[in-house]
Amino acid sequence: MDRVILHCDANSYYASVECLYTPEIRDKPVAVGGSVEARHGIILTKNALAKRCGVRTGEAIWQAKEKCPDLVCVPPDYSLYTRFSGKMRRIYEQYSCRVESFGLDEAWIDLTNPGLSFADGVRIANEIRCRIREELGITVSVGVADNKILAKLGSDMKKPDAVTVLPPDSFQEKIRDLPVQDLLFVGPRTAHKLAQLGVTTIGQLAACDDGVLQGLLGKNGPMLKAFASGQDRSPVMPLDHRRCVKSIGNSTTPPHDLTTRDDARCIYYLLAESVAARLRQGGFRTRCVSISARTPDLVTRSHQIALKRATNLTDEIARAAMTLFEERFAHALPYRSVGLCCSMLTPDDEPIQLDFMGDETRRIHMEQLERSIDSLRSRYGHQIVRRGVVLQDSGYAGINPVEEHTVHPVNMFTG
């Protein structure tokens, strides 16, 4: 049975929702950007008018305003975007029980059923597109194909408010001349490596030798060739599917650069608190802590350390992070932003071997204490209890690593 897969992508999603709630800016170039004062001042998304002025996602707000002096820049409202994402998903779920999110603004829908033809899929794609425009006031572009990769490619080919069809028997002629970076998972670095082979289009990638690609890109090489050839059998996950969590992390750009070890200790304790709380909430402990740091000229470095005992305690995670920082990063201060991530996760209900010295008993009591603090914070806000180490700098003390950090589903591969 041939598959029928849709990929729905909301056009200029954040900016579209903002324009919906602020009618007076609908006919102006609009961008959603972070706080300049908090040094998060980059463009997150922009509408079509701003795009025509040359505004690009990821550039600094001041750069965007140089290109477009009339640019209206509004701060992000993630709770609003999450609510609209739920509204879109409820519409998708009326057509299939297999709906897989890819961020807040994108989703795959598997319509495959006995008796449902590819033409029916195209009809449903147009029906969904019209419903979202009429019921929610924003627009989506929809790709229709027999797999997730081509459906995603199709939704990017024609914007806004459009349906692009890539039939199984004729998709090659529609995509072979497209730039190779239009393909999912081909980023700038991969595109640069492929260009060194003379591979600049999807068609050239599909015709490339497997061995050459393996040597250049490792196991991702043959995978990308398969995608370029329209070969993808990855499933669209059902509604009740729970993804396997492989790591939990957080990062931040503080109000000013980290210039001392005390600055780093303050920030890493802040990040460790939010990550440890999410570990406990998810029922995990970690055996590996990794940290990253970005210099003022935007060069990022990262290292990791294995732990002797699995943990979800803030202090143990922060101490591991600071050990790494002292060994690998302290000599190159200052840093603009830092991150902390815990991986090699294990369930927190695994048996614990007690010891004669009572160390494990103390760790159990500390975990109970931190869970009590988690309960207080969930009721009264994260700042109701703060560690003394984070109060050393008033700028850092105001950072809320939980409420200012939004987790979005982005991983395509499961299992």
Side-chain angles (χ1 to χ4, degrees):
M1 180 170 55
D2 293 334
R3 296 203 299 170
V4 182
I5 309 294
L6 310 185
H7 182 269
C8 300
D9 183 2
N11 306 131
S12 304
Y13 181 54
Y14 294 177
S16 296
V17 174
E18 294 293 343
C19 290
L20 186 65
Y21 276 77
T22 314
E24 60 268 24
I25 66 173
R26 292 178 184 174
D27 59 349
K28 299 177 181 179
V30 176
V32 176
S35 167
V36 176
E37 292 75 16
R39 305 204 307 164
H40 301 160
I42 64 170
I43 301 297
L44 302 175
T45 188
K46 70 282 181 189
N47 66 0
L49 292 173
K51 185 177 181 179
R52 284 200 287 269
C53 294
V55 176
R56 295 183 295 110
T57 299
E59 68 181 347
I61 291 175
W62 65 266
Q63 292 175 312
K65 289 191 173 182
E66 281 188 347
K67 301 175 184 176
C68 183
D70 297 328
L71 182 69
V72 177
C73 195
V74 297
D77 184 346
Y78 292 113
S79 61
L80 184 62
Y81 310 148
T82 301
R83 183 156 63 88
F84 264 78
S85 180
K87 289 177 180 290
M88 287 191 293
R89 187 178 177 93
R90 282 190 287 275
I91 291 176
Y92 302 153
E93 290 172 0
Q94 295 176 27
Y95 296 89
S96 175
C97 63
R98 297 182 297 276
V99 178
E100 181 179 351
S101 295
F102 192 56
L104 285 178
D105 56 338
E106 301 181 45
W108 282 284
I109 309 169
D110 189 347
L111 300 177
T112 307
N113 269 310
L116 188 140
S117 67
F118 202 81
D120 291 329
V122 176
R123 175 184 56 78
I124 292 173
N126 277 293
E127 184 176 316
I128 289 175
R129 177 181 62 83
C130 293
R131 283 191 61 185
I132 288 180
R133 184 183 64 233
E134 295 167 4
E135 296 178 24
L136 303 184
I138 60 177
T139 63
V140 296
S141 292
V142 187
V144 187
D146 69 347
N147 65 68
K148 293 165 71 174
I149 294 295
L150 289 183
K152 163 67 176 168
L153 181 62
S155 69
D156 291 333
M157 289 174 64
K158 191 185 300 183
K159 295 177 180 287
D161 195 21
V163 170
T164 300
V165 184
L166 296 177
D169 56 351
S170 59
F171 70 88
Q172 292 95 338
E173 60 191 52
K174 295 187 177 184
I175 71 169
R176 62 189 176 196
D177 295 327
L178 295 177
V180 70
Q181 54 264 39
D182 286 359
L183 198 65
L184 190 61
F185 303 121
V186 178
R189 290 186 180 181
T190 300
H192 178 72
K193 290 180 179 180
L194 290 171
Q196 294 176 334
L197 293 178
V199 176
T200 59
T201 68
I202 292 177
Q204 290 171 333
L205 176 58
C208 205
D209 180 75
D210 279 351
V212 172
L213 289 174
Q214 178 94 29
L216 182 70
L217 303 174
K219 63 182 181 181
N220 288 336
M223 179 190 75
L224 293 177
K225 175 183 176 178
F227 289 169
S229 304
Q231 300 170 14
D232 167 42
R233 303 307 298 173
S234 57
V236 177
M237 292 297 108
L239 298 177
D240 57 356
H241 173 75
R242 293 189 63 185
R243 293 185 182 276
C244 177
V245 178
K246 296 185 178 180
S247 64
I248 293 176
N250 200 349
S251 61
T252 187
T253 301
H256 61 78
D257 287 351
L258 281 68
T259 58
T260 67
R261 288 171 169 81
D262 287 339
D263 288 342
R265 184 174 294 103
C266 174
I267 290 298
Y268 279 118
Y269 262 95
L270 275 168
L271 295 177
E273 283 205 300
S274 70
V275 172
R278 287 170 55 202
L279 285 170
R280 293 189 292 271
Q281 182 182 20
F284 297 111
R285 293 191 178 99
T286 179
R287 288 187 174 275
C288 180
V289 173
S290 61
I291 66 171
S292 61
R294 176 173 292 185
T295 63
D297 54 356
L298 304 184
V299 176
T300 301
R301 302 171 58 237
S302 62
H303 286 280
Q304 66 183 31
I305 185 172
L307 305 179
K308 294 180 179 179
R309 296 177 293 190
T311 185
N312 54 21
L313 299 179
T314 298
D315 190 64
E316 292 182 352
I317 293 172
R319 286 179 182 273
M322 282 308 300
T323 297
L324 270 176
F325 186 85
E326 293 284 357
E327 293 177 354
R328 301 283 189 170
F329 295 83
H331 68 280
L333 286 163
Y335 291 106
R336 173 181 171 82
S337 61
V338 294
L340 184 152
C341 183
C342 291
S343 56
M344 294 177 62
L345 306 184
T346 61
D348 64 3
D349 58 0
E350 285 189 348
I352 296 175
Q353 178 65 55
L354 300 180
D355 62 325
F356 287 110
M357 303 302 294
D359 289 342
E360 289 300 332
T361 300
R362 285 191 288 271
R363 295 177 78 233
I364 291 172
H365 291 162
M366 183 57 68
E367 183 175 334
Q368 292 170 345
L369 174 61
E370 294 208 6
R371 289 186 184 278
S372 297
I373 294 174
D374 293 342
S375 178
L376 285 171
R377 285 173 167 165
S378 67
R379 183 172 182 180
Y380 299 108
H382 183 81
Q383 304 288 37
I384 193 67
V385 180
R386 289 186 287 178
R387 292 176 181 265
V389 67
V390 308
L391 300 176
Q392 296 178 6
D393 187 299
S394 59
Y396 294 164
I399 297 175
N400 186 330
V402 175
E403 295 176 8
E404 294 175 2
H405 179 68
T406 303
V407 181
H408 302 305
V410 295
N411 183 29
M412 172 183 167
F413 297 110
T414 59

